[in-house]
Amino acid sequence: MGPSGLVCALLLAACCCCRRAAGVPGEAEPPTPEPLEVEVGGTALLKCGPSHSPGNFSHVDWFSVHKEKPTLIFRVRKGQGQSEPGEYQHRLSLLDRGTTLALAHVTPHDERIFLCQGKRPQSQEHRIQLHVYKAPEEPSIQVNPLGISVNSEEPEEVATCVGRNGYPVPQVIWYKNGRPLKEEKKRVHIQSSQIVESSGLYTLQSVLKAQLVKEDKDAQFYCELNYRLPSGNHMKESREVVVPVFYPAEKVWLEVEPVGVLKEGDRVEIRCLADGNPPPHFTISKQNPSTQEMEEKATEDNGVLVLESARKEHSGLYQCQGLDLETMASLPSEQQELLVNYVSDVRVSPAAPESREGGSLALTCEAESNRALEFQWLREKTGQVLERGPVLRLHNLQRDAGGGYRCVASVPSVPGLNRTQLVRVAIFGSPWMTSKERKMWVKENTVLNLSCEASGHPRPSISWSVDGTAHEQDQDPQSVLSVLNVLVTPELLETGAECVASNFLGRNTTTIFLELDSNRTTGLSTSTVSPYTRANSTSTEKKLPEPESKGVAIVAVTVCVLVLAVLGAVLYFFYKKGKLPCGRSGKQEITLPPSRKSEFVVEVKSDKLPEEMGLLQGSTGDKRAPGDQVGGSSCGQCLTPLQGLGAAGANGSRPLNTHSLSLSSSSTGDWEQARLAFLTLVPGW
């Protein structure tokens, strides 16, 4: 640079210094803006200068300063405000006689400087810095579903925290088991980012990466968002999460369920466990008692051997083997003994005891078990305890002593562990019939199933005295039931059916007598009939209903007679009153001599036929005048019920005797005459 250039530079610098020293307006640094805080959606009150500063606000201009560029947004002239077109046109209003400008519905975009300039009496300005705040939503946290291996050399993603719609961007802090995490080289790394929404709000996303160890398998992780509002500092926390941590197993062991004493029949689970995650591949082995070598057992589930019904053969030594599929390392467990308590091979000697009546027997029970045994003897059909001990002695045996006896071998130290053995005692004897004879009501042409049961030792055979189809069923080793299918015929009704049971010691019979039941309708049908009633057995029998009593027929006849009597009395009453047509030409008047109008005689005789009976006769026995007789056959039809009543009385169980009744038509009412007529026809009512 030449001398002339240097001189020019010096002059320019001196000029600038002079301007600053002289205080040229517009060239000084602007004052610090007054801060104003408001939440999103609220109203910001912009005051044109401090409240204690005097001034004339009749002529004021408001500017919005964005990127150091002021834009006129509102004018105040003589106390009246006017919005300028633009983004603030509909959100501004003037308050406090023009000293305050209200900005409604604040958004994050409104965070800027607002400038107030007054023109009169002198030029002055005031700057306001608007700060906008919005609390973020509750933070959401998402754990890494794939988990983290402790063998990883670099920090892996643990969880992601998201805080939405906050302003300004909140701060995030990560916690593990309630303690804050900080960046640590190759151990903890926190990576955060934010997204600006169209509304101007921020969405924060923070990813926690860490290198974990086996002890972190139950660690609780969560994130915290810190933010500010006009009211102060605040924070929100997410829920706690646990990330899967994968680590190799260091120990394998074996567990047995249920815990405690085991017995035959129990459902037992042998389960392999390890302290690794994921668990290794398990195999279960059992020691062979002969070779002393461990033999692998097949399992449906990894590391679980299920014994649905444990037996004594399942006792022995068991061992688990764990194989890490990642490192292919094998880790065995300690051997564990499984003991299944048992009772087996319960046997009774003699196995098929036999004796004659009056004899004696001694039954001995034996069994095998790994523990001390107790024995008791029970009668099978009653459940009665006969003896406690391995030997049962029976003396003076009778026929009813035959049957089942049960030996029960139990282990007192293992509740519920017992086994039983049934033995049947046979008493030699001729066949014994459950019933000697029975009478039975049947219908002719009915197909019956006649049954006959006998017992004895040796087991008897059964035959029938009539033809039919017989089937035998064994009730027990000494009893047999025979069922005969037979058609009821007149010959069978006459002879009956005989059942014969026999063995080499003798024979016995029972007879079934059949009688025809006349009250039953005939027709071919099938029914099952047991012709006996067992006196000392438990079989179930179907008994035929007994014939109905003859008294039922007597009651029925009596009821019919009463009904006919009532009907006859009513007909007679209407006939006497002349209200019953009794002639070919309709109603006819019956005229009587004056001496006979006051009396009538009604006779019902049981020893004459209806057509020979005289229904109406005078009290003196004279024949009726022609005028007293009524219309031929028509009148006979009217009196037929009364004649029938006489016939019924003649044929029924209670014949109606002849009675006479004098009725006074002049002194007795109509209903009284009807009642007396009824009492006459029904004696003893």
Side-chain angles (χ1 to χ4, degrees), residues 100-126:
T100 302
L101 183 64
L103 174 60
H105 308 297
V106 174
T107 70
H109 300 293
D110 297 330
E111 188 171 73
R112 60 186 62 184
I113 294 177
F114 290 87
L115 175 62
C116 166
Q117 285 186 345
K119 300 297 185 180
R120 299 173 183 174
Q122 60 182 0
S123 178
Q124 60 180 359
E125 68 178 28
H126 183 70

mmCIF file of all heavy atoms in Angstrom, residues 100-126:
data_model
loop_
_atom_site.group_PDB
_atom_site.id
_atom_site.type_symbol
_atom_site.label_atom_id
_atom_site.label_comp_id
_atom_site.label_asym_id
_atom_site.label_seq_id
_atom_site.Cartn_x
_atom_site.Cartn_y
_atom_site.Cartn_z
ATOM 1 N N THR A 100 -50.861 -1.498 25.857
ATOM 2 C CA THR A 100 -50.565 -2.939 25.800
ATOM 3 C C THR A 100 -51.167 -3.523 24.525
ATOM 4 O O THR A 100 -52.346 -3.268 24.211
ATOM 5 C CB THR A 100 -51.138 -3.677 27.019
ATOM 6 O OG1 THR A 100 -50.594 -3.097 28.202
ATOM 7 C CG2 THR A 100 -50.802 -5.158 26.984
ATOM 8 N N LEU A 101 -50.346 -4.316 23.850
ATOM 9 C CA LEU A 101 -50.802 -5.042 22.663
ATOM 10 C C LEU A 101 -50.912 -6.522 23.030
ATOM 11 O O LEU A 101 -49.936 -7.137 23.483
ATOM 12 C CB LEU A 101 -49.819 -4.857 21.508
ATOM 13 C CG LEU A 101 -50.217 -5.509 20.174
ATOM 14 C CD1 LEU A 101 -51.497 -4.874 19.621
ATOM 15 C CD2 LEU A 101 -49.080 -5.404 19.161
ATOM 16 N N ALA A 102 -52.117 -7.124 22.862
ATOM 17 C CA ALA A 102 -52.364 -8.532 23.217
ATOM 18 C C ALA A 102 -52.230 -9.402 21.969
ATOM 19 O O ALA A 102 -52.902 -9.153 20.967
ATOM 20 C CB ALA A 102 -53.746 -8.690 23.838
ATOM 21 N N LEU A 103 -51.360 -10.427 22.084
ATOM 22 C CA LEU A 103 -51.164 -11.403 21.006
ATOM 23 C C LEU A 103 -51.788 -12.721 21.464
ATOM 24 O O LEU A 103 -51.297 -13.366 22.415
ATOM 25 C CB LEU A 103 -49.684 -11.582 20.698
ATOM 26 C CG LEU A 103 -49.329 -12.688 19.690
ATOM 27 C CD1 LEU A 103 -49.989 -12.425 18.335
ATOM 28 C CD2 LEU A 103 -47.812 -12.801 19.545
ATOM 29 N N ALA A 104 -52.871 -13.120 20.807
ATOM 30 C CA ALA A 104 -53.605 -14.329 21.213
ATOM 31 C C ALA A 104 -53.089 -15.550 20.446
ATOM 32 O O ALA A 104 -52.482 -15.443 19.386
ATOM 33 C CB ALA A 104 -55.097 -14.142 20.965
ATOM 34 N N HIS A 105 -53.398 -16.743 21.036
ATOM 35 C CA HIS A 105 -53.097 -18.041 20.417
ATOM 36 C C HIS A 105 -51.624 -18.121 20.011
ATOM 37 O O HIS A 105 -51.269 -18.325 18.846
ATOM 38 C CB HIS A 105 -53.990 -18.295 19.209
ATOM 39 C CG HIS A 105 -55.447 -18.136 19.486
ATOM 40 N ND1 HIS A 105 -56.128 -18.925 20.378
ATOM 41 C CD2 HIS A 105 -56.363 -17.232 19.012
ATOM 42 C CE1 HIS A 105 -57.391 -18.562 20.439
ATOM 43 N NE2 HIS A 105 -57.564 -17.521 19.618
ATOM 44 N N VAL A 106 -50.783 -17.980 21.001
ATOM 45 C CA VAL A 106 -49.344 -17.987 20.744
ATOM 46 C C VAL A 106 -48.914 -19.350 20.244
ATOM 47 O O VAL A 106 -49.357 -20.395 20.754
ATOM 48 C CB VAL A 106 -48.583 -17.608 22.026
ATOM 49 C CG1 VAL A 106 -47.080 -17.757 21.817
ATOM 50 C CG2 VAL A 106 -48.928 -16.189 22.437
ATOM 51 N N THR A 107 -48.024 -19.361 19.261
ATOM 52 C CA THR A 107 -47.453 -20.578 18.694
ATOM 53 C C THR A 107 -45.939 -20.510 18.821
ATOM 54 O O THR A 107 -45.361 -19.441 19.092
ATOM 55 C CB THR A 107 -47.842 -20.728 17.220
ATOM 56 O OG1 THR A 107 -47.163 -19.719 16.450
ATOM 57 C CG2 THR A 107 -49.348 -20.608 17.035
ATOM 58 N N PRO A 108 -45.252 -21.639 18.605
ATOM 59 C CA PRO A 108 -43.781 -21.592 18.644
ATOM 60 C C PRO A 108 -43.187 -20.627 17.627
ATOM 61 O O PRO A 108 -42.074 -20.114 17.834
ATOM 62 C CB PRO A 108 -43.382 -23.033 18.365
ATOM 63 C CG PRO A 108 -44.533 -23.848 18.841
ATOM 64 C CD PRO A 108 -45.738 -23.030 18.518
ATOM 65 N N HIS A 109 -43.889 -20.367 16.535
ATOM 66 C CA HIS A 109 -43.367 -19.434 15.535
ATOM 67 C C HIS A 109 -43.351 -17.991 16.047
ATOM 68 O O HIS A 109 -42.707 -17.124 15.439
ATOM 69 C CB HIS A 109 -44.224 -19.510 14.261
ATOM 70 C CG HIS A 109 -44.241 -20.880 13.647
ATOM 71 N ND1 HIS A 109 -43.138 -21.460 13.086
ATOM 72 C CD2 HIS A 109 -45.255 -21.785 13.519
ATOM 73 C CE1 HIS A 109 -43.449 -22.663 12.622
ATOM 74 N NE2 HIS A 109 -44.748 -22.883 12.877
ATOM 75 N N ASP A 110 -44.038 -17.713 17.133
ATOM 76 C CA ASP A 110 -44.096 -16.345 17.668
ATOM 77 C C ASP A 110 -42.905 -16.030 18.569
ATOM 78 O O ASP A 110 -42.836 -14.926 19.132
ATOM 79 C CB ASP A 110 -45.397 -16.139 18.449
ATOM 80 C CG ASP A 110 -46.623 -16.285 17.574
ATOM 81 O OD1 ASP A 110 -46.524 -15.985 16.371
ATOM 82 O OD2 ASP A 110 -47.675 -16.719 18.086
ATOM 83 N N GLU A 111 -42.014 -16.978 18.763
ATOM 84 C CA GLU A 111 -40.855 -16.714 19.617
ATOM 85 C C GLU A 111 -39.872 -15.808 18.848
ATOM 86 O O GLU A 111 -39.069 -16.280 18.031
ATOM 87 C CB GLU A 111 -40.172 -18.015 20.042
ATOM 88 C CG GLU A 111 -39.088 -17.774 21.075
ATOM 89 C CD GLU A 111 -38.561 -19.063 21.673
ATOM 90 O OE1 GLU A 111 -37.826 -19.779 20.972
ATOM 91 O OE2 GLU A 111 -38.908 -19.368 22.831
ATOM 92 N N ARG A 112 -39.926 -14.520 19.124
ATOM 93 C CA ARG A 112 -39.108 -13.508 18.442
ATOM 94 C C ARG A 112 -39.156 -12.202 19.244
ATOM 95 O O ARG A 112 -39.784 -12.136 20.309
ATOM 96 C CB ARG A 112 -39.636 -13.263 17.029
ATOM 97 C CG ARG A 112 -41.075 -12.773 16.981
ATOM 98 C CD ARG A 112 -41.598 -12.693 15.553
ATOM 99 N NE ARG A 112 -41.609 -13.996 14.908
ATOM 100 C CZ ARG A 112 -41.958 -14.183 13.637
ATOM 101 N NH1 ARG A 112 -42.302 -13.132 12.893
ATOM 102 N NH2 ARG A 112 -41.976 -15.383 13.108
ATOM 103 N N ILE A 113 -38.527 -11.112 18.653
ATOM 104 C CA ILE A 113 -38.525 -9.793 19.285
ATOM 105 C C ILE A 113 -39.660 -8.963 18.696
ATOM 106 O O ILE A 113 -39.861 -8.937 17.464
ATOM 107 C CB ILE A 113 -37.172 -9.092 19.073
ATOM 108 C CG1 ILE A 113 -36.060 -9.852 19.825
ATOM 109 C CG2 ILE A 113 -37.238 -7.640 19.554
ATOM 110 C CD1 ILE A 113 -34.681 -9.265 19.594
ATOM 111 N N PHE A 114 -40.403 -8.306 19.580
ATOM 112 C CA PHE A 114 -41.437 -7.361 19.165
ATOM 113 C C PHE A 114 -40.973 -5.951 19.569
ATOM 114 O O PHE A 114 -40.544 -5.727 20.716
ATOM 115 C CB PHE A 114 -42.772 -7.708 19.798
ATOM 116 C CG PHE A 114 -43.371 -8.974 19.254
ATOM 117 C CD1 PHE A 114 -43.047 -10.212 19.810
ATOM 118 C CD2 PHE A 114 -44.239 -8.936 18.171
ATOM 119 C CE1 PHE A 114 -43.590 -11.379 19.297
ATOM 120 C CE2 PHE A 114 -44.779 -10.096 17.664
ATOM 121 C CZ PHE A 114 -44.455 -11.330 18.216
ATOM 122 N N LEU A 115 -41.089 -5.009 18.612
ATOM 123 C CA LEU A 115 -40.564 -3.646 18.776
ATOM 124 C C LEU A 115 -41.715 -2.648 18.807
ATOM 125 O O LEU A 115 -42.589 -2.665 17.942
ATOM 126 C CB LEU A 115 -39.597 -3.307 17.636
ATOM 127 C CG LEU A 115 -39.049 -1.886 17.599
ATOM 128 C CD1 LEU A 115 -38.231 -1.574 18.847
ATOM 129 C CD2 LEU A 115 -38.223 -1.674 16.337
ATOM 130 N N CYS A 116 -41.682 -1.792 19.815
ATOM 131 C CA CYS A 116 -42.680 -0.725 19.950
ATOM 132 C C CYS A 116 -41.957 0.621 19.746
ATOM 133 O O CYS A 116 -40.966 0.908 20.440
ATOM 134 C CB CYS A 116 -43.321 -0.803 21.331
ATOM 135 S SG CYS A 116 -44.252 0.665 21.794
ATOM 136 N N GLN A 117 -42.459 1.464 18.811
ATOM 137 C CA GLN A 117 -41.881 2.786 18.543
ATOM 138 C C GLN A 117 -42.943 3.858 18.733
ATOM 139 O O GLN A 117 -44.010 3.797 18.128
ATOM 140 C CB GLN A 117 -41.320 2.857 17.116
ATOM 141 C CG GLN A 117 -40.023 2.129 16.916
ATOM 142 C CD GLN A 117 -39.445 2.358 15.542
ATOM 143 O OE1 GLN A 117 -40.126 2.841 14.627
ATOM 144 N NE2 GLN A 117 -38.171 2.010 15.374
ATOM 145 N N GLY A 118 -42.631 4.845 19.586
ATOM 146 C CA GLY A 118 -43.510 5.983 19.790
ATOM 147 C C GLY A 118 -42.937 7.211 19.092
ATOM 148 O O GLY A 118 -41.737 7.485 19.169
ATOM 149 N N LYS A 119 -43.781 8.010 18.445
ATOM 150 C CA LYS A 119 -43.324 9.163 17.665
ATOM 151 C C LYS A 119 -43.459 10.470 18.432
ATOM 152 O O LYS A 119 -42.796 11.453 18.128
ATOM 153 C CB LYS A 119 -44.122 9.237 16.363
ATOM 154 C CG LYS A 119 -43.976 7.996 15.473
ATOM 155 C CD LYS A 119 -42.543 7.800 15.002
ATOM 156 C CE LYS A 119 -42.446 6.629 14.027
ATOM 157 N NZ LYS A 119 -41.059 6.431 13.558
ATOM 158 N N ARG A 120 -44.400 10.581 19.331
ATOM 159 C CA ARG A 120 -44.675 11.844 20.009
ATOM 160 C C ARG A 120 -44.636 11.636 21.509
ATOM 161 O O ARG A 120 -45.051 10.556 21.977
ATOM 162 C CB ARG A 120 -46.036 12.398 19.573
ATOM 163 C CG ARG A 120 -46.141 12.691 18.062
ATOM 164 C CD ARG A 120 -47.552 13.058 17.700
ATOM 165 N NE ARG A 120 -47.693 13.264 16.256
ATOM 166 C CZ ARG A 120 -48.852 13.490 15.651
ATOM 167 N NH1 ARG A 120 -49.968 13.566 16.372
ATOM 168 N NH2 ARG A 120 -48.899 13.665 14.350
ATOM 169 N N PRO A 121 -44.174 12.619 22.262
ATOM 170 C CA PRO A 121 -43.631 13.932 21.828
ATOM 171 C C PRO A 121 -42.223 13.792 21.247
ATOM 172 O O PRO A 121 -41.730 14.672 20.560
ATOM 173 C CB PRO A 121 -43.631 14.738 23.121
ATOM 174 C CG PRO A 121 -43.438 13.705 24.191
ATOM 175 C CD PRO A 121 -44.191 12.488 23.723
ATOM 176 N N GLN A 122 -41.580 12.595 21.551
ATOM 177 C CA GLN A 122 -40.276 12.375 20.970
ATOM 178 C C GLN A 122 -40.171 10.912 20.598
ATOM 179 O O GLN A 122 -40.893 10.071 21.101
ATOM 180 C CB GLN A 122 -39.180 12.765 21.964
ATOM 181 C CG GLN A 122 -39.215 11.969 23.273
ATOM 182 C CD GLN A 122 -38.155 12.411 24.248
ATOM 183 O OE1 GLN A 122 -37.384 13.329 23.957
ATOM 184 N NE2 GLN A 122 -38.102 11.781 25.407
ATOM 185 N N SER A 123 -39.271 10.639 19.734
ATOM 186 C CA SER A 123 -39.129 9.270 19.259
ATOM 187 C C SER A 123 -38.518 8.401 20.362
ATOM 188 O O SER A 123 -37.507 8.785 20.963
ATOM 189 C CB SER A 123 -38.236 9.255 18.000
ATOM 190 O OG SER A 123 -38.072 7.938 17.580
ATOM 191 N N GLN A 124 -39.195 7.226 20.626
ATOM 192 C CA GLN A 124 -38.673 6.260 21.595
ATOM 193 C C GLN A 124 -39.108 4.853 21.159
ATOM 194 O O GLN A 124 -40.088 4.699 20.437
ATOM 195 C CB GLN A 124 -39.196 6.573 22.987
ATOM 196 C CG GLN A 124 -40.728 6.538 23.097
ATOM 197 C CD GLN A 124 -41.228 6.848 24.495
ATOM 198 O OE1 GLN A 124 -40.421 7.077 25.398
ATOM 199 N NE2 GLN A 124 -42.519 6.878 24.664
ATOM 200 N N GLU A 125 -38.356 3.861 21.604
ATOM 201 C CA GLU A 125 -38.689 2.475 21.238
ATOM 202 C C GLU A 125 -38.443 1.537 22.415
ATOM 203 O O GLU A 125 -37.651 1.864 23.319
ATOM 204 C CB GLU A 125 -37.887 2.026 20.024
ATOM 205 C CG GLU A 125 -36.399 1.863 20.255
ATOM 206 C CD GLU A 125 -35.673 1.368 19.036
ATOM 207 O OE1 GLU A 125 -36.128 1.629 17.921
ATOM 208 O OE2 GLU A 125 -34.620 0.702 19.218
ATOM 209 N N HIS A 126 -39.148 0.396 22.365
ATOM 210 C CA HIS A 126 -39.037 -0.616 23.432
ATOM 211 C C HIS A 126 -39.084 -2.003 22.783
ATOM 212 O O HIS A 126 -39.962 -2.285 21.960
ATOM 213 C CB HIS A 126 -40.180 -0.462 24.438
ATOM 214 C CG HIS A 126 -40.088 -1.422 25.576
ATOM 215 N ND1 HIS A 126 -39.119 -1.332 26.548
ATOM 216 C CD2 HIS A 126 -40.856 -2.506 25.899
ATOM 217 C CE1 HIS A 126 -39.285 -2.307 27.423
ATOM 218 N NE2 HIS A 126 -40.348 -3.034 27.047
#
